[in-house]
């Protein structure tokens, strides 16, 4: 991240948290403080456009505030396409991440104590967990599943591994609470009924850790990291005049990204899955939609996560800010797959209806598509 083409810490950020921080500093915005332990959290979520129904709860100690996290005091995470907020009971700070269109994920903390002028501070310490093999080598996002030895209390988590939508559900969510109904076995602790809740829900904005929100977050983490990693690699290669030399590696990474965007390795669901919060309706409601009312945000939740298998992250500013060289190749590969010109067997699970629906939705809703998408 110190490369001249990146300069992660030196380059001014251009994302929602930085803009809010600037507004707070200039007195153009303020954060309301709510007593009783929640502090700035409710208003912070409102100002950043994060819904309470996205709340997921993790009790594995994966935070620099680890000593405050336990099954009785899980960490709450709230998110949208570009921002995540972590809330720890009695924590000194709230942990915030925001996706900069070019620089990738930027990490901040916000002191929880009441002050006349709240300020976000960038946190390099977050990179101890949020940059490495688990994030494809760039500052990024992680969802992991921890091991809880058989017969041991939930506190005894031992190591773990990164999960995304390719991970079999039976291996997911160790160290997490999960609310909702699903037939698949998993490693999480189910919650939902008052008799089986393991913690004081009044300390949180919601008593839920919605399974559909958790599934969505898992897809989004790897998609975010792929966008950032490929963009960084291309910018570095261009800055060093080594684009042709790097081309095979970059094209292989783009091929991997296109496959992930199209969910070709998504772990099947035994179905059906049903969440308990309003996330399953508010997330699709954000659109965009074509004239037939279809959206890439529409859930399936029977055999797969989404009804139309192409990642909604294609609409993000981060995707649109990837180098033209990358996006040209991504668009071409997507077009060839969706029109049937690409016969690579890795895309065999995409039915003709899947391809046609995704193609039509993109044509109607995605700005700045190459001209050949419209003309053919």
């Amino acid at each position: 991240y110190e490369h001249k083409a990146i300069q992660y810490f030196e380059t001014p950020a251009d994302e929602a948290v930085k803009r809010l921080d600037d507004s707070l500093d200039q007195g153009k915005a303020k954060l309301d403080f709510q007593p009783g332990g929640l502090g700035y959290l409710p208003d912070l979520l409102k100002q950043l456009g994060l819904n309470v129904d996205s709340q997921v709860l993790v009790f594995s100690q994966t935070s620099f505030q680890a000593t405050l996290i336990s099954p009785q005091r899980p960490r709450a995470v709230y998110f949208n396409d570009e921002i995540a907020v972590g809330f720890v009971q009695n924590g000194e700070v709230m942990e915030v991440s925001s996706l900069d269109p070019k620089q990738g994920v930027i990490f901040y903390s916000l002191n929880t104590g009441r002050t006349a002028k709240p300020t976000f501070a960038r946190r390099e310490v977050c990179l101890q967990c949020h940059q490495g093999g688990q994030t494809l080598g760039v500052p990024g996002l992680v969802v992991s599943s921890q091991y809880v030895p058989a017969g041991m209390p939930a506190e005894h988590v031992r190591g773990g591994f990164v999960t995304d939508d390719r991970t079999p559900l039976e291996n997911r969510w160790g160290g997490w609470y999960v609310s909702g109904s699903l037939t698949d076995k998993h490693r999480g602790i189910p919650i939902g009924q008052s008799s089986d809740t393991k913690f004081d829900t009044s300390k949180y904005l919601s008593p839920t850790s919605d399974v559909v929100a958790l599934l969505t977050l898992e897809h989004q983490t790897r998609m975010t990291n792929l966008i950032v990693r490929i963009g960084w690699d291309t910018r570095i290669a261009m800055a060093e005049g080594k684009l042709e030399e790097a081309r095979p590696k970059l094209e292989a990474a783009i091929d991997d990204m296109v496959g992930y965007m199209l969910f070709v390795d998504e772990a099947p669901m035994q179905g059906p899955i049903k969440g308990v919060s309003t996330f399953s309706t508010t997330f699709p409601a954000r659109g965009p939609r074509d004239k037939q009312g279809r959206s890439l945000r529409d859930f399936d939740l029977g055999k797969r996560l989404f009804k139309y298998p192409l990642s909604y992250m294609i609409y993000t500013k981060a995707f649109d800010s990837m180098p033209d060289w990358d996006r040209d190749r991504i668009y071409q590969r997507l077009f060839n797959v969706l029109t049937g010109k690409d016969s690579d067997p890795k895309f065999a699970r995409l039915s003709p209806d899947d391809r046609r629906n995704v193609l039509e939705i993109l044509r109607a809703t995605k700005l700045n598509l190459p001209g050949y998408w419209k003309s053919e």
Side-chain angles (χ1 to χ4, degrees), residues 77-376:
V77 177
Y78 308 86
F79 70 97
N80 62 19
D81 297 2
E82 299 178 343
I83 303 168
V85 171
F87 168 77
V88 176
Q89 274 191 57
N90 303 317
E92 293 184 357
V93 299
M94 280 186 283
E95 303 158 37
V96 184
S97 68
S98 184
L99 180 58
D100 181 279
K102 289 187 177 181
Q103 296 301 88
V105 182
I106 311 294
F107 296 93
Y108 299 92
S109 64
L110 176 69
N111 289 340
T112 55
R114 191 168 192 168
T115 180
K117 184 178 289 187
T119 301
F120 293 90
R122 284 191 67 167
R123 295 297 293 259
E124 187 171 359
V125 66
C126 297
L127 299 189
Q128 292 179 8
C129 293
H130 287 276
Q131 185 185 21
Q134 70 274 22
T135 63
L136 305 182
V138 294
L141 304 175
V142 183
V143 173
S144 62
S145 182
Q146 309 294 309
Y147 293 105
V148 180
M152 298 293 287
E155 288 90 339
H156 291 265
V157 293
R158 292 289 184 271
F161 51 91
V162 174
T163 63
D164 53 50
D165 64 37
R166 305 168 300 170
T167 307
L169 268 69
E170 64 185 19
N171 292 329
R172 299 193 203 179
W173 310 327
W176 296 78
Y177 284 116
V178 181
S179 53
S181 61
L182 66 165
T183 56
D184 297 79
K185 294 182 178 180
H186 58 84
R187 296 177 181 267
I189 295 182
I191 59 168
Q193 302 299 322
S194 58
S195 60
D196 65 11
T197 300
K198 312 296 183 184
F199 58 94
D200 183 357
T201 60
S202 68
K203 303 294 186 181
Y204 298 86
L205 292 174
S206 169
T208 67
S209 182
D210 191 90
V211 63
V212 181
L214 189 48
L215 288 163
T216 303
L217 179 61
E218 283 181 305
H219 165 72
Q220 183 172 308
T221 53
R222 179 170 172 81
M223 191 68 244
T224 298
N225 297 340
L226 284 166
I227 290 171
V228 176
R229 179 62 201 241
I230 293 171
W232 277 29
D233 282 350
T234 302
R235 287 161 58 193
I236 289 171
M238 288 179 170
E240 295 180 351
K242 297 180 179 179
L243 185 57
E244 283 304 309
E245 180 181 334
R247 183 170 185 154
K249 179 181 177 181
L250 290 172
E251 290 185 339
I254 287 171
D255 182 66
D256 183 38
M257 177 173 166
V258 169
Y260 191 77
M261 292 176 74
L262 292 166
F263 295 89
V264 298
D265 294 317
E266 180 184 16
M269 300 174 179
Q270 303 306 311
I273 291 177
K274 186 176 182 180
V276 294
S277 76
T278 56
F279 184 85
S280 295
T281 55
T282 59
F283 180 86
R286 289 158 58 190
R289 297 189 171 275
D290 67 7
K291 291 183 179 180
Q292 297 184 47
R294 298 173 297 183
S295 172
L296 296 182
R297 294 181 181 271
D298 289 341
F299 290 114
D300 178 276
L301 301 177
K303 296 296 183 182
R304 61 191 185 191
L305 181 54
F306 291 104
K307 186 173 183 180
Y308 306 110
L310 179 71
S311 178
Y312 58 91
M313 293 291 286
I314 197 171
Y315 296 117
T316 60
K317 292 180 181 178
F319 179 85
D320 287 340
S321 297
M322 294 181 75
D324 292 345
W325 192 94
D326 295 326
R327 283 186 295 106
D328 288 346
R329 282 153 180 78
I330 294 168
Y331 279 135
Q332 186 66 67
R333 190 76 194 276
L334 282 174
F335 183 79
N336 290 345
V337 172
L338 297 176
T339 57
K341 295 179 180 180
D342 189 327
S343 58
D344 190 324
K346 72 180 286 184
F347 301 108
R349 71 184 297 176
L350 295 172
S351 70
D353 283 346
D354 286 336
R355 299 176 193 235
R356 183 183 66 255
N357 287 331
V358 170
L359 182 66
E360 291 174 353
I361 292 169
L362 276 183
R363 279 174 165 166
T365 62
K366 184 70 177 84
L367 300 176
N368 303 321
L369 284 174
Y372 60 84
W373 277 71
K374 302 288 186 178
S375 61
E376 294 188 34

